[in-house]
Amino acid sequence: MRYAETGYNLEIDLSSGNIERVESDPGLTELYLGGLGTNAKLLWDRVPPETEPFSPDNLLIFSAGLLCGTPAPGANRTIISTYSPQTLFMAFSMMGGFFAPELKYAGYDKVIFRGKSPELVYVWINNDKVELRDASHLQGKGAVETETLIRQELGDPNVQVAAIGLAGENRVYMASIEHGRSSASRLGIGAVMGDKKIKAIAVRGTKDLNIARPAEFMEICNEVMEYIPERDGNPVPGVMPILAGLGSPKEMLIHDEKWHTENFMWGNARTRQKNYWTKDVEEKWKETQESVRTRLISCYNCPMKCGAIVSVPGISRYMMKCFSKLTYTMAAYSDLDFGFRIAQRATEYGVDGFSMPQVMAFALELYEAGILTDDDFPGMPSDNEGRFYWLLDRIVRREGIGDVLADGVYWAARKIGNGAEEYDHNTIKKHEQLPLKLSMLNPIYFLMWATGEKINITQIEGNFPQAPFPTMEEKEAFVKDWIHVPDEKFKDYFLKWELRGENSFPYYPTPEATCDIVDWQETMHYIDDSLGMCAGLSSFPLKPPYHIHNFPKLISAATGIDIDKDELWKIAKRNRTLIRAINVRKGLRRADDKPPENHWKKRFPELEEQLLNAYYNLKGFNEDGVPTKESLHDLNMDYISEDFEKRGILKDEQSDEES
Amino acid sequence: MSKVMKKVKTIKIDLEKCNGCRACELICSAYHAEPKYSSNNPARSRIRMIREPLQDVYLPVYAGEYTPAECMGRDKYVIDGKEYEECAFCRASCPSRDAFKEPDSGLPLKCDMCEDEEVPLCVKWCIHDALTYEEREEEVEEEVMVEEIETGLKSLVDKYGFENLVDTVARLSQKEK
């Protein structure tokens, strides 16, 4: 019997309509856990790097994490992987909600799509019965609307649906996959789903999911459940409200947006409004938020209320989480009411709330600069808000200039030319980033922005405080119950870290300490993404309920595979290295590992090179950012170095010695 | 029949506080697995969430008595502008719906308030207090408790007929020998 996982994947060939239930290799669970780890292994094994994202040979994998469907609170995430049309590297975007547990109860760990359907279809997975159904009546429908229509059609309110909107159907690079209050938004996975002509996946499961050592497993789950209210009721002092507790930033609960509105950039990641958060703004925004927020809601088996049902008068209800209430608002220099209104349309279209507003703000900058002209914007309204709606409608339909912009800032800038490239100032690896422009280089964030394979900072940062605390008393109070550190040295790094003077940015933390801090944070994210654990209870907040000391026990008790702390760390490193290897095979090198030029005003090229070298060294990459033969061997992935040698990415040892 | 004091276990359900996470369903199914916590399957849960997020409908319902026949009428309630099927509030394991039946056998499920635990686990895992536990004493007429086995058998009689059931039991007991 298999524990925690079902042991079966669903293989669907959309071109032929062939559907198979295939047993997975339990040995892979020991090496890569599940979720992101085993997704990456499938991509490495089955999709050669020459495969175009929109080729029928590209895979689109929906995976439940290893612990999804078990009582481990917060284990509910679906990890979706493919090759990205935007970055041309591996895309892995994730969503919470109810999809992954339902898939496990239906008897599958993953749904693996290959090929392309001739007509628009939706997939109906009802335990052992799986079918491709005509979706022509859903063509052009909103993502949220589609979920409702499918549930009605199937006559079962317990069906869980993940769907694309118009943006996905039209292969817009910012297209998301929407599911209730959740969405997998980044890196264009919705476009790949649309390219394969899958409008939605509906799943219902009523089977058992087994636990290997129940008593041991429940002991940790109960501890976690007791710790959550205790920790969340005691916010970390001196940290901004949205980061002081647990969960993903509580944007739906908290109305105080002083920090975001005054520190993040408005427009095309362009302007900082230092004194924006006045009493008037605060009152107005608070009223807006409270009037539209119907209920705070959660994902499956999680007590954190990171999402909300949003009911704006005059438009249909939708659900929202986290930061998208501000991305449109700030890109358009508008207010919160506009943010909630346009996000409803954007959610139905199914687009990434990070990238889309920046693309639109970028287009309007080009218009102001005369690089794009009235001819490109026929009939566009003159007010800012109206322009955003106008652009949104055109981009998701790929109409006129919308067709160019639908490929995202990087590709659009190159297609438009005539100096437009200069306005692409906030992308990493061709992907739009948070609108942050800061002063002094932060070595920790430098490495995370530069090297993160996720290309999204909120999914890399986490367990280490973002800034030093002002006094020694505060620092000592913080480290007192900091049991989460993998090693005591992290407390030392933190205690010595200061706002000013010798032990401050950019030379402190030292490159070595910086690498350790990045390594810890990154490792926790890679563990979460294999388990399907929400970062909001683990790798993202300070002092979370899950950490490197209780995860091994939890995983061992759930799966029956005995894993200790060192082994778990090694698995996370293996997964991280595997994804690097996939991207290296797609052409990723050191030159790609860099944050936007203007991310910080004060840059230190020599130090930055030093940081990158130290990081590569720790990770077992060579100076070009390619995993070395030795490190691949240590991680049981000789198959990668063999492939690299065949392709000339790594030279074999003999020629290494000669050179 | 004589009067006796009976401890009545109740769960108070506050719909406004529900965050819709379904932890109640999950932990119920885990607790009632054999052996305890060895498997998870909300379809076996004795509490079910009726969830319509876009209508803001969040309604936990507990499994009560088994009934062999469905009701004649199906009314609807409108509360605070939200529409609920009458069945939404019904605790019965009933032929009209899938809820409160073992997914494999179709046998009825009934909430037992997690007998061995201090409080029912759905309550323990609902940290937002949408579910809270209350006990009170009540004077009631002494009654013969219908055993779980009898409830199960009754439903099988309804489903397959008395004769078929007796034949099957006889055949099984032959095999056992």
Side-chain angles (χ1 to χ4, degrees):
Chain A
M1 203 200 286
R2 301 281 279 269
Y3 298 100
E5 57 186 349
T6 67
Y8 289 93
N9 295 331
L10 199 53
E11 296 266 3
I12 300 182
D13 185 329
L14 294 155
S15 302
S16 67
N18 188 51
I19 300 171
E20 277 177 69
R21 177 172 172 263
V22 180
E23 192 169 357
S24 60
D25 173 5
L28 293 178
T29 312
E30 291 180 29
L31 286 168
Y32 307 95
L33 293 179
L36 178 63
T38 39
N39 277 7
K41 183 68 167 71
L42 281 164
L43 280 178
W44 173 275
D45 287 345
R46 290 172 48 179
V47 192
E50 301 77 22
T51 311
E52 299 287 335
F54 291 146
S55 156
D57 296 331
N58 189 11
L59 296 182
L60 176 66
I61 310 169
F62 283 68
S63 180
L66 182 61
L67 294 182
C68 292
T70 76
N76 53 41
R77 299 194 44 97
T78 309
I79 298 94
I80 306 169
S81 310
T82 187
Y83 283 154
S84 164
Q86 174 103 64
T87 64
L88 306 176
F89 296 130
M90 176 175 166
F92 49 109
S93 196
M94 290 157 283
M95 62 184 189
F98 298 78
F99 189 89
E102 201 69 34
L103 186 65
K104 295 280 272 286
Y105 301 138
Y108 313 98
D109 299 316
K110 294 183 198 293
V111 187
I112 305 163
F113 291 104
R114 63 179 188 277
K116 253 185 222 198
S117 169
E119 303 295 335
L120 194 67
V121 291
Y122 78 88
V123 186
W124 169 216
I125 303 167
N126 185 10
N127 290 321
D128 293 337
K129 206 177 147 208
V130 182
E131 53 187 296
L132 299 176
R133 297 173 69 119
D134 173 47
S136 52
H137 58 302
L138 299 170
Q139 190 157 10
K141 298 277 189 222
V144 181
E145 193 185 1
T146 297
E147 290 186 45
T148 307
L149 288 170
I150 288 179
R151 234 179 243 132
Q152 280 167 1
E153 189 170 311
L154 298 173
D156 184 349
N158 293 309
V159 171
Q160 299 298 337
V161 182
I164 54 168
L166 201 52
E169 286 182 40
N170 290 332
R171 306 198 309 184
V172 172
Y173 287 5
M174 290 83 74
S176 61
I177 299 171
E178 299 285 329
H179 160 60
R181 66 164 281 294
S182 309
S183 63
S185 299
R186 301 288 280 164
L187 296 156
I189 51 168
V192 176
M193 185 157 159
D195 180 63
K196 295 195 175 300
K197 292 216 183 281
I198 310 165
K199 178 68 180 173
I201 308 172
V203 61
R204 172 74 178 130
T206 59
K207 295 191 193 185
D208 294 346
L209 184 69
N210 302 306
I211 298 294
R213 301 199 291 266
E216 210 179 305
F217 181 75
M218 287 311 297
E219 198 185 312
I220 304 164
C221 292
N222 283 321
E223 279 170 20
V224 164
M225 273 308 268
E226 278 159 32
Y227 179 80
I228 289 170
E230 187 187 307
R231 166 70 184 83
D232 209 41
N234 287 288
V236 175
V239 173
M240 75 187 83
I242 52 161
L243 295 178
L246 293 175
S248 67
K250 290 179 187 154
E251 293 293 331
M252 296 297 108
L253 174 71
I254 292 167
H255 78 273
D256 181 350
E257 290 296 352
K258 181 178 170 64
W259 189 78
H260 278 132
T261 54
E262 294 189 353
N263 286 286
F264 280 41
M265 297 289 161
W266 295 65
N268 179 27
R270 197 61 79 179
T271 324
R272 189 167 166 191
Q273 303 205 54
K274 269 188 178 170
N275 299 309
Y276 181 80
W277 195 251
T278 59
K279 263 264 163 290
D280 284 353
V281 172
E282 180 170 6
E283 269 165 35
K284 193 172 163 222
W285 283 38
K286 187 178 179 186
E287 196 194 311
T288 300
Q289 179 145 331
E290 285 175 1
S291 70
V292 304
R293 189 182 64 204
T294 303
R295 181 188 294 262
L296 291 169
I297 52 171
S298 305
C299 295
Y300 185 69
N301 190 31
C302 178
M304 306 313 301
K305 296 188 275 193
C306 308
I309 300 169
V310 178
S311 325
V312 183
I315 55 180
S316 64
R317 264 195 190 137
Y318 69 108
M319 289 170 267
M320 182 188 254
K321 75 277 168 194
C322 205
F323 191 55
S324 36
K325 75 177 195 193
L326 289 189
T327 52
Y328 293 96
T329 297
M330 291 178 68
Y333 296 97
S334 185
D335 63 9
L336 190 58
D337 181 63
F338 167 75
F340 277 121
R341 283 177 184 277
I342 194 167
Q344 186 271 341
R345 194 180 293 187
T347 304
E348 288 286 11
Y349 282 151
V351 291
D352 177 10
F354 270 36
S355 290
M356 183 55 98
Q358 274 189 53
V359 174
M360 298 193 286
F362 159 80
L364 292 176
E365 265 193 354
L366 296 185
Y367 180 58
E368 299 294 322
I371 297 172
L372 292 174
T373 64
D374 284 330
D375 293 345
D376 296 304
F377 301 97
M380 181 169 75
S382 56
D383 65 303
N384 229 15
E385 281 115 3
R387 287 172 166 181
F388 266 68
Y389 280 112
W390 189 91
L391 279 166
L392 179 63
D393 290 347
R394 264 136 206 91
I395 292 172
V396 300
R397 289 180 177 77
R398 283 189 173 275
E399 278 172 16
I401 192 67
D403 187 33
V404 176
L405 296 169
D407 292 350
V409 168
Y410 175 89
W411 298 107
R414 273 129 200 99
K415 206 175 259 179
I416 294 164
N418 197 17
E421 294 93 335
E422 291 296 307
Y423 294 79
D424 164 23
H425 72 125
N426 202 42
T427 57
I428 298 177
K429 300 182 172 88
K430 310 183 179 67
H431 198 28
E432 296 80 6
Q433 301 300 316
L434 273 186
L436 268 169
K437 301 292 167 193
L438 304 163
S439 174
M440 172 57 78
L441 177 87
N442 174 335
I444 304 169
Y445 274 73
F446 167 78
L447 276 185
M448 293 193 295
W449 285 107
T451 66
E453 233 73 25
K454 287 191 174 182
I455 327 179
N456 195 37
I457 198 68
T458 54
Q459 292 176 24
I460 308 168
E461 64 187 355
N463 288 167
F464 200 83
Q466 291 191 9
F469 288 8
T471 68
M472 191 43 93
E473 290 70 43
E474 285 164 281
K475 290 181 206 172
E476 278 169 353
F478 180 77
V479 301
K480 215 188 278 169
D481 60 352
W482 206 12
I483 55 147
H484 312 74
V485 289
D487 188 290
E488 289 298 304
K489 69 184 171 191
F490 289 95
K491 292 184 183 172
D492 193 51
Y493 294 156
F494 181 69
L495 287 170
K496 287 187 183 144
W497 189 18
E498 282 166 4
L499 281 164
R500 272 163 217 91
E502 209 174 301
N503 281 353
S504 69
F505 291 159
Y507 294 105
Y508 193 92
T510 63
E512 192 199 333
T514 297
C515 288
D516 284 340
I517 293 164
V518 170
D519 187 40
W520 172 27
Q521 304 198 80
E522 194 176 64
T523 298
M524 297 316 298
H525 279 281
Y526 276 90
I527 294 171
D528 285 348
D529 299 346
S530 296
L531 301 179
M533 181 58 68
C534 179
L537 288 182
S538 178
S539 49
F540 188 75
L542 300 167
K543 300 182 180 175
Y546 295 105
H547 42 80
I548 194 64
H549 305 292
N550 64 3
F551 261 148
K553 293 178 207 158
L554 188 75
I555 298 165
S556 302
T559 59
I561 303 166
D562 282 305
I563 292 171
D564 63 12
K565 179 188 157 195
D566 292 344
E567 184 59 31
L568 183 58
W569 200 276
K570 188 174 176 182
I571 292 171
K573 186 175 182 185
R574 182 179 297 123
N575 287 346
R576 194 262 173 273
T577 307
L578 172 58
I579 290 166
R580 165 65 46 150
I582 289 171
N583 286 340
V584 161
R585 205 166 67 162
K586 299 282 277 181
L588 179 79
R589 293 293 184 276
R590 185 185 185 109
D592 299 294
D593 279 341
K594 57 177 185 204
E597 291 296 331
N598 61 359
H599 189 83
W600 296 280
K601 247 187 227 132
K602 294 173 195 156
R603 298 292 290 258
F604 299 82
E606 213 170 295
L607 173 65
E608 291 172 20
E609 293 304 307
Q610 214 183 327
L611 283 163
L612 214 46
N613 287 337
Y615 176 83
Y616 286 170
N617 194 35
L618 178 73
K619 289 287 174 184
F621 302 167
N622 69 19
E623 61 180 27
D624 210 15
V626 177
T628 64
K629 189 171 180 170
E630 297 72 37
S631 72
L632 289 165
H633 179 74
D634 290 344
L635 294 167
N636 322 69
M637 295 195 291
D638 290 324
Y639 62 89
I640 293 178
S641 41
E642 282 159 25
D643 183 274
F644 279 179
E645 281 171 4
K646 244 183 262 164
R647 292 174 190 276
I649 294 170
L650 281 178
K651 291 177 192 127
D652 63 45
E653 260 166 28
Q654 210 159 2
S655 56
D656 255 3
E657 274 165 19
E658 282 163 15
S659 65
Chain B
M1 261 180 214
S2 60
K3 300 255 181 187
V4 290
M5 290 304 285
K6 186 183 162 193
K7 192 159 80 179
V8 181
K9 299 174 170 182
T10 64
I11 293 168
K12 191 167 135 191
I13 303 159
D14 185 341
L15 305 188
E16 288 307 306
K17 289 181 178 163
C18 180
N19 60 326
C21 73
R22 298 173 62 198
C24 51
E25 291 183 7
L26 175 59
I27 199 65
C28 175
S29 81
Y31 178 77
H32 290 97
E34 284 288 342
K36 251 180 209 174
Y37 302 112
S38 62
S39 73
N40 307 279
N41 182 356
R44 291 188 199 283
S45 171
R46 292 127 197 250
I47 176 170
R48 295 307 297 272
M49 279 296 306
I50 292 175
R51 252 174 104 254
E52 292 287 346
L54 292 175
Q55 272 76 55
D56 190 37
V57 166
Y58 286 82
L59 176 65
V61 190
Y62 285 89
E65 295 301 329
Y66 158 79
T67 175
E70 58 190 83
C71 300
M72 294 297 288
R74 298 279 173 79
D75 305 329
K76 281 181 179 177
Y77 287 89
V78 178
I79 305 169
D80 284 343
K82 297 175 215 168
E83 195 172 282
Y84 299 87
E85 296 281 336
E86 186 184 43
C87 294
F89 297 97
C90 180
R91 298 160 59 92
S93 174
C94 155
S96 75
R97 61 180 181 185
D98 289 335
F100 307 142
K101 286 173 195 157
E102 286 283 2
D104 313 325
S105 62
L107 287 174
L109 296 162
K110 186 181 163 187
C111 169
D112 59 3
M113 293 275 183
C114 300
E115 289 142 349
D116 310 336
E117 298 289 316
E118 237 173 84
V119 298
L121 289 183
C122 52
V123 171
K124 192 176 161 196
W125 277 55
C126 182
I127 65 172
H128 298 298
D129 293 339
L131 307 174
T132 46
Y133 180 65
E134 286 173 4
E135 272 178 13
R136 62 171 194 269
E137 296 248 304
E138 236 174 45
E139 202 180 46
V140 291
E141 284 190 355
E142 199 174 14
E143 58 169 328
V144 183
M145 292 297 289
V146 179
E147 296 295 328
E148 219 171 285
I149 188 166
E150 207 175 311
T151 316
L153 279 175
K154 266 190 186 164
S155 77
L156 288 174
V157 170
D158 290 329
K159 198 167 176 183
Y160 301 109
F162 194 75
E163 234 164 87
N164 275 333
L165 191 66
V166 171
D167 287 352
T168 311
V169 171
R171 207 168 47 243
L172 282 175
S173 58
Q174 282 297 324
K175 270 189 202 163
E176 287 290 305
K177 283 168 194 167

